[in-house]
Amino acid sequence: MIRKAELRELDRLEQLWLHAAVNSHPSLPRQFWLDHAAQFRRDCRQANRCLVFTGRHSAVAEAFITLLDGDRIAYLCVSPIFSGCGIGSNLIAAASEGKSQLLAQVLRENLRTRYFLQKHGFVETERSYNAEYGQHLIQMCCVQSPG
């Protein structure tokens, strides 16, 4: 089931995010992401849309998507147990309702997410070097079809 996230779930969302960030970015140590946890929490609190997926027999969030600035995907994380089951696709579809476009930023080394977004119609629009991450940050955009 996909539903609006609740503030009490923030610890669980942080767990999912930390796991995804560490495993998707081998060049950055776990401590780098732990140092960014406060920013993650601020983003979740300020999000204009944060949706979670819960399993059939549980109320525990197993995946989530967070939109900031109206149409920018800030986070899309899926528990490894549910990876490859279409949950990320369903979250993108739910988050894009009423949006004319979605934007995303992906680090160059995060190939799995880049390919996932491309599969969903995202194209690279810009690439810039980010010194904090020590690699290029790729801007991607997907124009939503009406209806």
Side-chain angles (χ1 to χ4, degrees), residues 49-69:
R49 190 173 288 178
C50 185
L51 303 172
V52 298
F53 164 81
T54 58
R56 201 175 287 156
H57 304 292
S58 171
V60 176
E62 296 294 352
F64 72 97
I65 189 169
T66 302
L67 296 184
L68 291 174
D69 307 324

Side-chain angles (χ1 to χ4, degrees), residues 34-47:
L34 290 170
D35 292 344
H36 285 78
Q39 181 64 50
F40 168 79
R41 287 178 168 268
R42 274 191 300 278
D43 288 346
C44 286
R45 286 188 186 100
Q46 295 172 358

